[in-house]
Amino acid sequence: AVAVVALRAAAPAAGVEPVLASIGTGDKSGVYYLAGGAICGFVDAERWTTGIRCLAESTDGSIDNLRAVRNGTRTFGLVQSDWQHHAFYGTDVFRQAGPDRDLRSVVSLFREPFTVVARPDAGIGGIADLKGKRVNLGPSGSGGRATMRVVMDAMGWTDESFAYVDDLAMADVPRALCAGEIDAAVAIVAHPNQSVEEMMRSCNAVLVPVNGPGIERMMDENTFYAPGEVSAGTYDGQTASVPSFAVTATLVTSSRTSPAVVYEVTKALFQNFDAFRAAHPAFADIEKERMFSEGLTAPLHDGALRYLPEAKLR
């Protein structure tokens, strides 16, 4: 009740009704949660003039966020570019639900490599060595787990190809891996990542190369996958780059979201662009020139299009 009163006491900009906008992010230990929190911080700083208050919500990840944006339980969602594509066209895990023609892109953000972390004594030197091991695939609503299913298809694997599969959130993986309960974990995360750093520091976990014929073929067949890597020196003791493939983190919403709200969120991000890039090392490579195009399958929302002329792109 207090929040509602505070919102109504604000002086909203013309055309913007007092509103609470939510952003579905990911695990609290991950970069999505930090990114959503930063964006909401920029939006909230202007709430007395725009009437918009922003809330970043921890979720299971991309699949969860896309479903929530579709059914209206969240205003915005941070999602992987591959699952934005599948949600818009109604393919893969969204086949039963059908195409989400109301899905709209807002901006493209940072790149995220598909990441495999393993115990040093697990005998896992490459992606093919996961077969027969105990592997954490991630929560069922996460984009990382869904993308792992694509990798499994490319490698000719099913759940039975592993000795054991788990669905732990990334924040719970370090304890399980270092305790020897699992041999490896897969995720799509920006780097440096807090949980990965904890595993490497606590039990000398290693980053596993993700390459080979199956992965090459998968990238050739899916244009939203691009070559990626975890650069050398990202973590203490990591002397060489680790190859993989990558997707792009994107911010999406629904066509039902007010253009005025989307405009103000986009504007808040761009007006605080340098502060956003400084919020995490993974954001340092974000370029304004790519933010309205890279990894965006769904059409740009009218509110983002409205801001485009003000974005000062070259």
Side-chain angles (χ1 to χ4, degrees):
V2 175
V4 172
V5 171
L7 282 172
R8 295 198 181 280
V16 180
E17 293 295 324
V19 66
L20 176 64
S22 58
I23 301 179
T25 61
D27 188 278
K28 285 188 176 181
S29 71
V31 181
Y32 274 23
Y33 188 72
L34 186 152
I39 294 169
C40 278
F42 303 145
V43 173
D44 282 345
E46 301 296 327
R47 67 186 181 277
W48 303 115
T49 53
T50 65
I52 304 169
R53 187 180 172 210
C54 186
L55 176 66
E57 298 183 303
S58 176
T59 71
D60 280 344
S62 294
I63 308 301
D64 185 12
N65 295 341
L66 284 159
R67 287 171 175 156
V69 166
R70 182 171 187 154
N71 65 32
T73 55
R74 294 190 188 96
T75 321
F76 298 90
L78 283 164
V79 306
Q80 294 172 199
S81 52
D82 52 345
W83 298 109
Q84 181 191 144
H85 174 99
H86 287 303
F88 185 73
Y89 286 111
T91 49
D92 206 284
V93 299
F94 297 103
R95 182 169 284 108
Q96 185 173 352
D100 183 3
R101 296 306 189 192
D102 287 325
L103 185 65
R104 293 293 181 269
S105 299
V106 182
V107 290
S108 170
L109 295 170
F110 48 92
R111 293 183 178 132
E112 307 175 279
F114 183 86
T115 304
V116 180
V117 189
R119 290 190 302 105
D121 58 351
I124 301 173
I127 183 74
D129 297 327
L130 289 181
K131 188 175 182 180
K133 300 297 194 297
R134 301 167 299 162
V135 183
N136 185 70
L137 304 183
S140 60
S142 68
R145 186 183 184 109
T147 302
M148 178 57 176
R149 293 290 179 191
V150 182
V151 171
M152 288 165 62
D153 287 344
M155 301 296 290
W157 294 341
T158 66
D159 282 0
E160 287 67 41
S161 301
F162 306 109
Y164 170 74
V165 296
D166 211 337
D167 58 359
L168 298 171
M170 196 63 176
D172 300 321
V173 170
R175 184 206 59 78
L177 188 93
C178 291
E181 295 171 8
I182 55 175
D183 299 311
V186 302
I188 289 188
V189 292
H191 295 275
N193 175 272
Q194 178 182 330
S195 294
V196 173
E197 185 175 26
E198 183 179 344
M199 287 182 273
M200 296 179 80
R201 184 182 64 249
S202 299
C203 56
N204 297 315
V206 295
L207 291 167
V208 177
V210 180
N211 51 14
I215 301 300
E216 292 292 333
R217 189 165 54 249
M218 184 191 76
M219 286 196 288
D220 288 343
E221 293 171 356
N222 298 280
T223 57
F224 36 75
Y225 296 138
E229 66 175 18
V230 182
S231 301
T234 300
Y235 298 98
D236 288 345
Q238 182 206 344
T239 57
S241 294
V242 181
S244 187
F245 67 93
V247 296
T248 303
T250 66
L251 183 67
V252 300
T253 189
S254 169
S255 63
R256 301 183 300 273
T257 305
S258 162
V261 171
V262 177
Y263 168 82
E264 293 294 348
V265 170
T266 309
K267 178 181 177 181
L269 176 57
F270 272 82
Q271 288 191 335
N272 294 277
F273 182 71
D274 290 342
F276 184 75
R277 290 215 311 175
H280 190 278
F283 304 165
D285 293 333
I286 299 175
E287 297 175 1
K288 287 183 179 180
E289 292 76 17
R290 300 199 314 254
M291 291 179 71
F292 290 111
S293 58
E294 184 174 291
L296 304 182
T297 299
L300 281 172
H301 191 282
D302 287 346
L305 285 170
R306 177 181 160 192
Y307 184 76
L308 191 53
E310 302 175 38
K312 298 179 180 177
L313 303 178
R314 287 200 300 266

